[in-house]
Coordinates of all heavy atoms in Angstrom, one line a residue:
T42 N -10.5 10.1 -12.5 CA -11.3 8.9 -12.5 C -11.0 8.0 -11.3 O -11.9 7.6 -10.7 CB -11.1 8.1 -13.9 OG1 -11.5 8.9 -14.9 CG2 -11.9 6.8 -13.9
R43 N -9.7 7.8 -11.1 CA -9.3 6.9 -10.0 C -9.6 7.6 -8.7 O -10.1 6.8 -7.7 CB -7.8 6.6 -10.1 CG -7.6 5.6 -11.2 CD -6.2 5.1 -11.2 NE -5.2 6.0 -11.7 CZ -4.9 6.1 -13.0 NH1 -5.4 5.4 -13.9 NH2 -3.9 7.0 -13.4
L46 N -13.3 6.9 -8.2 CA -13.4 5.5 -7.8 C -13.1 5.2 -6.3 O -13.8 4.5 -5.6 CB -12.7 4.5 -8.7 CG -13.2 4.4 -10.1 CD1 -12.2 3.8 -11.0 CD2 -14.5 3.6 -10.1
C57 N -18.7 -4.4 -5.5 CA -18.2 -5.1 -6.7 C -18.0 -4.1 -7.8 O -18.4 -3.0 -7.7 CB -19.2 -6.2 -7.1 SG -20.8 -5.7 -7.7
M58 N -17.3 -4.6 -8.8 CA -17.0 -3.7 -9.9 C -18.2 -3.0 -10.5 O -18.2 -1.8 -10.9 CB -16.1 -4.4 -10.9 CG -15.5 -3.5 -11.9 SD -16.4 -3.3 -13.4 CE -16.7 -5.0 -13.8
S59 N -19.3 -3.8 -10.7 CA -20.5 -3.2 -11.4 C -21.1 -2.1 -10.5 O -21.6 -1.1 -11.0 CB -21.5 -4.3 -11.8 OG -21.9 -4.9 -10.6
L61 N -19.5 -0.1 -8.5 CA -18.6 1.0 -8.7 C -18.9 1.8 -10.0 O -18.9 2.9 -10.1 CB -17.1 0.6 -8.6 CG -16.6 0.4 -7.2 CD1 -15.2 -0.3 -7.3 CD2 -16.5 1.7 -6.5
A62 N -19.0 0.9 -11.1 CA -19.3 1.5 -12.4 C -20.6 2.3 -12.4 O -20.7 3.3 -12.9 CB -19.4 0.4 -13.4
V65 N -20.1 5.7 -10.4 CA -19.4 6.8 -11.1 C -19.8 7.1 -12.5 O -19.3 7.9 -13.2 CB -17.8 6.5 -11.1 CG1 -17.3 6.6 -9.7 CG2 -17.5 5.3 -11.8
M67 N -19.7 5.0 -15.3 CA -18.8 4.6 -16.3 C -19.1 3.1 -16.7 O -19.8 2.4 -16.0 CB -17.4 4.6 -15.7 CG -16.8 6.0 -15.5 SD -15.2 5.9 -14.7 CE -14.2 5.1 -15.9
K68 N -18.6 2.7 -17.9 CA -18.8 1.4 -18.4 C -17.9 0.5 -17.4 O -16.8 0.8 -17.1 CB -18.3 1.2 -19.8 CG -19.3 2.0 -20.7 CD -18.9 1.8 -22.2 CE -19.9 2.6 -23.0 NZ -19.7 2.5 -24.4
P69 N -18.4 -0.8 -17.2 CA -17.6 -1.7 -16.4 C -16.2 -1.9 -16.8 O -15.3 -2.0 -16.0 CB -18.4 -3.0 -16.4 CG -19.8 -2.5 -16.6 CD -19.6 -1.3 -17.5
Q70 N -16.0 -2.1 -18.1 CA -14.7 -2.4 -18.6 C -13.7 -1.2 -18.3 O -12.5 -1.4 -18.0 CB -14.6 -2.7 -20.1 CG -13.3 -3.1 -20.7 CD -12.7 -4.3 -20.0 OE1 -13.4 -5.3 -19.7 NE2 -11.4 -4.3 -19.7
A71 N -14.2 0.0 -18.5 CA -13.3 1.2 -18.1 C -13.0 1.2 -16.7 O -11.8 1.5 -16.3 CB -14.0 2.4 -18.6
V72 N -13.9 0.9 -15.8 CA -13.7 0.9 -14.4 C -12.7 -0.2 -14.1 O -11.8 0.0 -13.2 CB -15.1 0.7 -13.6 CG1 -14.8 0.4 -12.1 CG2 -15.9 2.0 -13.7
S73 N -12.9 -1.4 -14.6 CA -12.0 -2.5 -14.4 C -10.6 -2.1 -14.7 O -9.7 -2.4 -14.0 CB -12.4 -3.7 -15.3 OG -11.5 -4.7 -15.1
N74 N -10.3 -1.4 -15.8 CA -9.0 -1.0 -16.2 C -8.3 -0.1 -15.1 O -7.2 -0.2 -14.8 CB -8.9 -0.3 -17.5 CG -9.3 -1.3 -18.7 OD1 -9.1 -2.5 -18.5 ND2 -9.8 -0.7 -19.8
Q75 N -9.2 0.9 -14.6 CA -8.7 1.8 -13.6 C -8.4 1.1 -12.3 O -7.4 1.3 -11.6 CB -9.7 2.9 -13.4 CG -10.0 3.7 -14.6 CD -8.7 4.5 -15.1 OE1 -7.8 4.9 -14.3 NE2 -8.5 4.7 -16.4
L76 N -9.3 0.1 -11.9 CA -9.1 -0.6 -10.7 C -7.8 -1.5 -10.7 O -7.2 -1.6 -9.7 CB -10.4 -1.4 -10.4 CG -11.7 -0.7 -10.1 CD1 -12.8 -1.7 -9.9 CD2 -11.5 0.2 -8.8
R77 N -7.6 -2.0 -11.9 CA -6.4 -2.8 -12.1 C -5.1 -2.0 -11.7 O -4.2 -2.6 -11.0 CB -6.3 -3.4 -13.5 CG -5.1 -4.1 -13.8 CD -4.8 -5.5 -13.0 NE -5.9 -6.1 -12.6 CZ -6.0 -6.8 -11.4 NH1 -5.0 -7.0 -10.6 NH2 -7.1 -7.5 -11.1
R78 N -5.0 -0.8 -12.1 CA -3.9 0.1 -11.8 C -3.7 0.2 -10.3 O -2.6 0.2 -9.7 CB -4.0 1.5 -12.4 CG -4.0 1.5 -13.8 CD -2.7 1.8 -14.6 NE -1.6 2.6 -14.0 CZ -1.4 3.8 -14.3 NH1 -2.1 4.5 -15.1 NH2 -0.3 4.4 -13.8
L79 N -4.9 0.4 -9.5 CA -4.8 0.6 -8.1 C -4.5 -0.7 -7.4 O -3.8 -0.7 -6.4 CB -6.2 1.1 -7.6 CG -6.5 2.5 -8.2 CD1 -8.0 2.9 -7.9 CD2 -5.6 3.6 -7.5
V80 N -5.0 -1.9 -7.9 CA -4.7 -3.2 -7.4 C -3.2 -3.5 -7.5 O -2.5 -3.9 -6.6 CB -5.5 -4.3 -8.0 CG1 -5.1 -5.7 -7.6 CG2 -7.0 -4.1 -7.5
D81 N -2.6 -3.2 -8.7 CA -1.3 -3.5 -9.1 C -0.3 -2.7 -8.2 O 0.8 -3.2 -7.9 CB -1.0 -3.1 -10.6 CG -1.6 -4.2 -11.5 OD1 -2.1 -5.2 -11.1 OD2 -1.6 -3.9 -12.7
L85 N -5.5 -1.2 -3.6 CA -6.7 -1.9 -3.4 C -6.4 -3.4 -3.3 O -5.5 -3.9 -3.8 CB -7.7 -1.7 -4.6 CG -8.1 -0.3 -4.9 CD1 -9.1 -0.4 -6.1 CD2 -8.7 0.3 -3.7
T87 N -8.6 -7.3 -3.6 CA -9.9 -7.9 -4.2 C -10.2 -9.1 -3.4 O -9.4 -9.8 -2.8 CB -9.6 -8.3 -5.7 OG1 -8.6 -9.2 -5.7 CG2 -9.3 -7.0 -6.5
I94 N -16.3 -9.7 -8.2 CA -15.1 -9.4 -7.5 C -15.3 -8.1 -6.8 O -15.8 -7.1 -7.3 CB -13.9 -9.2 -8.4 CG1 -13.6 -10.6 -9.1 CG2 -12.6 -8.7 -7.8 CD1 -12.5 -10.5 -10.2
Y96 N -13.9 -5.0 -4.2 CA -12.7 -4.2 -4.0 C -12.8 -3.5 -2.7 O -13.9 -3.0 -2.2 CB -12.6 -3.1 -5.1 CG -12.4 -3.8 -6.5 CD1 -13.4 -4.3 -7.2 CD2 -11.0 -4.0 -6.9 CE1 -13.2 -4.8 -8.5 CE2 -10.8 -4.6 -8.2 CZ -11.9 -5.0 -8.9 OH -11.6 -5.6 -10.1

Side-chain angles (χ1 to χ4, degrees):
T42 298
R43 287 188 285 273
L46 287 167
C57 66
M58 193 266 307
S59 60
L61 280 169
V65 296
M67 292 175 60
K68 293 182 180 180
Q70 185 58 44
V72 169
S73 179
N74 291 337
Q75 297 298 325
L76 293 173
R77 176 61 31 215
R78 298 262 334 253
L79 296 167
V80 169
D81 289 347
L85 300 183
T87 62
I94 297 176
Y96 293 85

